[in-house]
Amino acid sequence: DACLDDDGEVQGASEQCYETREDYNDPAQCEFEVDEDDGACTISGLACPDEHTDTDMDYTHIDSSNNKWVWSGTTSDGRSWYENDDVSDQVKYLYYSTRAGGWFLTATAPDLSAADPWVGGNVQVFFNGQAHGDSPDGVSHDAALYCGHDPGDPADSCSKTPRGDGRDYYWCYNDGTVTVSCGSGDEDGDEDECDPSGYV
C-alpha cells in the first residue's frame, strides 16, 4: 500500500501522510501500487484456423512484447479485471461476465457499478472450460474466437453469419488450447485502502 505526500509523490503508508480523518477517507489521497509482473495475466495459444487467418481479426499481434493484461481493480462481484494498453482495442479488456458465460476478451471496458460489468455487445474471445471460476487462470480446450469477416465457406469447427453486405463473419473454436497464466493481484482485497497507521 502507498500514499501520496504533499508533493504528490508516493510514500510508504506507514509514514504520516494524513492530517485529518477527511484526508484518510478521500480516495484521491490514497493510491496503491501493483507490481505488473505479479498482478498480470499472459495469454498464449490464441489462433484462428488457417483458413481464416487473413481476415480483419489478427491474434498474431499478441507476442512476448505486449502479452500482459495488468490487474486494474475489481468488478462489483469482487472478481479482478485486467487491461492491456499494448494490444489492439478489440482485445484490450479481460474480465468476467455472467451474461458472457465466464471470462472473455473485449473492447468494452467493464462497468464497475453494474451487477454484470459487460454492458456492451463486443466480444472477441470466450475462455470456455475454465472460464467460470474466480480467476481466468488455466487452460481452455474449447475457447471460442471471433475470426473476422471473410467470404467463402467456414473452416471446420467454425460457423458463419451473413452480414447482409455479401460478407460473413466467423466464430471458431480455437485452433489448439489457450493458456491464461495470472499472477496475484488484489486477492485479499486490501490493496484498495491505505494502511490506517498512516493516519495521524
Side-chain angles (χ1 to χ4, degrees), residues 11-85:
Q11 64 175 9
S14 60
E15 299 181 42
Q16 296 180 351
C17 55
Y18 299 107
E19 295 183 357
T20 68
R21 173 58 62 180
E22 287 72 23
D23 285 347
Y24 177 70
N25 290 332
D26 181 1
Q29 300 207 25
C30 176
E31 288 189 355
F32 59 87
E33 295 178 303
V34 176
D35 186 309
E36 288 191 357
D37 290 327
D38 291 337
C41 297
T42 59
I43 301 172
S44 60
L46 289 176
C48 291
D50 290 341
E51 295 89 333
H52 301 305
T53 55
D54 58 348
T55 64
D56 54 353
M57 187 61 214
D58 176 23
Y59 295 101
T60 63
H61 79 282
I62 301 172
D63 56 35
S64 59
S65 67
N66 62 5
N67 191 345
K68 187 176 291 184
W69 279 259
V70 177
W71 185 88
S72 300
T74 56
T75 55
S76 62
D77 65 1
R79 289 184 174 90
S80 296
W81 68 278
Y82 304 85
E83 182 175 359
N84 188 337
D85 291 328

Side-chain angles (χ1 to χ4, degrees), residues 65-133:
S65 67
N66 62 5
N67 191 345
K68 187 176 291 184
W69 279 259
V70 177
W71 185 88
S72 300
T74 56
T75 55
S76 62
D77 65 1
R79 289 184 174 90
S80 296
W81 68 278
Y82 304 85
E83 182 175 359
N84 188 337
D85 291 328
D86 298 320
V87 292
S88 68
D89 288 343
Q90 291 98 324
V91 292
K92 182 180 179 70
Y93 299 102
L94 168 64
Y95 56 94
Y96 182 97
S97 163
T98 300
R99 183 165 66 91
W103 293 86
F104 71 118
L105 288 175
T106 176
T108 306
D111 184 338
L112 304 183
S113 64
D116 191 310
W118 185 34
V119 294
N122 176 278
V123 59
Q124 306 297 318
V125 178
F126 291 108
F127 293 105
N128 299 320
Q130 95 291 2
H132 302 286

